[in-house]
Amino acid sequence: MRLVLLAPPGAGKGTQAELIEQKFRVAHISTGDLLREAVKKGTILGLKAKKYMDKGELVPDEVVIGIIKDKIKELNDFILDGFPRTLEQAKVLDRILDEEGKKLDTVIEIQVPDERLVERAVGRLSCKCGEVYHEIYNPPRTEGICDRCGGKLYKREDDTAETMYSRIKSYKMKTIPLIKYYFQKGILRTVNGDQDIEKVFWEIEKILNKIKKD
Ligand code: AMP
């Protein structure tokens, strides 16, 4: 199964990707996580990415594609979380998949009203194992500690209200053309992200179970 998750920042995309990974046993590829890892390691791509990420802007296409291309080639099934984010990236993804004789099964768009996004991101707590929590809506069992791996939870540097406004604006400008692109291809599905995590996942599961059957 090959799918893309599209959602504005703070919509719970990472959480849903984790749930899909566990239930459907497909690899979760997050460009945000890969970029943060590259920044932490201080690689050349990471150094190039940092200044854009700190401002909440999109990292140039060549950096992101450089970081993700081999992963897409080596994996047969995957959930792409955070890629593509622009029409150009979507076209590159199509080319990479074409070269491998593969196709995307579906693109799931998680919709959440703008006013809820800032509130969600500002309370977000992340773990380096990939788990994501929220101070109010999805707190860990022990304060500051990841339920899954026992790691120390942290706040992402770009999860501030100011950066969020910039990221939502950037999402609207650059990502909305993608929605049209995938709609025209007939593979776009939409879910309501403004409800409990379990309910959002239930909607996603219905879509994925149908794909598995077809
Ligand atoms: P995320 O974890 O998906 O919210 O991504 C965090 C940040 O990484 C974004 O604000 C961008 O600066 C950068 N980023 C992640 N994925 C992409 C992408 N596909 N294209 C450009 N920048 C990206």
Side-chain angles (χ1 to χ4, degrees):
M1 188 187 303
R2 292 174 211 112
L3 71 125
V4 166
L5 277 185
L6 278 183
K13 185 164 48 72
T15 305
Q16 294 299 328
E18 288 286 320
L19 292 170
I20 299 168
E21 180 179 30
Q22 282 162 26
K23 175 92 193 234
F24 292 88
R25 304 266 153 222
V26 278
H28 169 197
I29 312 175
S30 154
T31 39
D33 285 350
L34 291 172
L35 287 166
R36 279 184 287 279
E37 210 177 288
V39 169
K40 214 165 139 196
K41 284 189 186 150
T43 65
I44 294 172
L45 287 179
L47 292 176
K48 279 193 189 166
K50 188 173 185 326
K51 57 177 191 275
Y52 298 93
M53 294 175 78
D54 285 348
K55 284 187 278 181
E57 290 171 7
L58 289 187
V59 170
D61 285 350
E62 71 273 11
V63 177
V64 183
I65 291 159
I67 241 162
I68 203 170
K69 192 171 179 179
D70 291 342
K71 295 236 175 238
I72 294 173
K73 286 191 168 189
E74 76 201 22
L75 292 166
N76 199 38
D77 296 293
F78 50 75
I79 315 158
L80 286 177
D81 162 6
F83 182 89
R85 262 201 171 70
T86 63
L87 197 51
E88 292 71 29
Q89 290 180 7
K91 290 181 179 166
V92 172
L93 173 62
D94 282 351
R95 274 203 299 279
I96 299 173
L97 291 172
D98 271 353
E99 282 168 18
E100 301 291 308
K102 297 175 188 164
K103 257 176 47 191
L104 273 184
D105 291 301
T106 192
V107 175
I108 297 180
E109 183 206 356
I110 305 175
Q111 291 182 332
V112 178
D114 288 1
E115 62 274 16
R116 299 275 287 139
L117 296 172
V118 176
E119 166 190 326
R120 283 197 189 183
V122 169
R124 175 153 62 186
L125 297 168
S126 303
C127 179
K128 60 181 183 321
C129 76
E131 285 288 284
V132 192
Y133 303 86
H134 189 279
E135 285 167 346
I136 299 161
Y137 304 118
N138 179 31
R141 283 193 292 271
T142 311
E143 199 182 322
I145 303 293
C146 177
D147 294 348
R148 181 161 84 177
C149 75
K152 195 162 177 270
L153 301 178
Y154 65 95
K155 278 189 178 266
R156 275 170 42 175
E157 278 178 29
D158 57 354
D159 277 344
T160 61
E162 197 189 18
T163 312
M164 273 304 289
Y165 287 118
S166 158
R167 290 166 68 199
I168 293 170
K169 196 168 143 211
S170 156
Y171 174 81
K172 290 208 166 151
M173 272 170 54
K174 302 213 170 135
T175 315
I176 286 179
L178 279 185
I179 291 167
K180 199 167 153 204
Y181 179 72
Y182 288 125
F183 174 76
Q184 282 165 349
K185 278 179 172 276
I187 56 171
L188 182 74
R189 300 287 175 274
T190 308
V191 301
N192 172 13
D194 192 14
Q195 47 183 348
D196 291 351
I197 292 171
E198 295 75 23
K199 287 192 183 142
V200 179
F201 185 57
W202 183 74
E203 284 194 26
I204 293 177
E205 252 186 309
K206 266 200 308 189
I207 297 169
L208 299 184
N209 282 330
K210 182 159 187 311
I211 288 173
K212 264 176 60 181
K213 262 197 237 140
D214 292 345

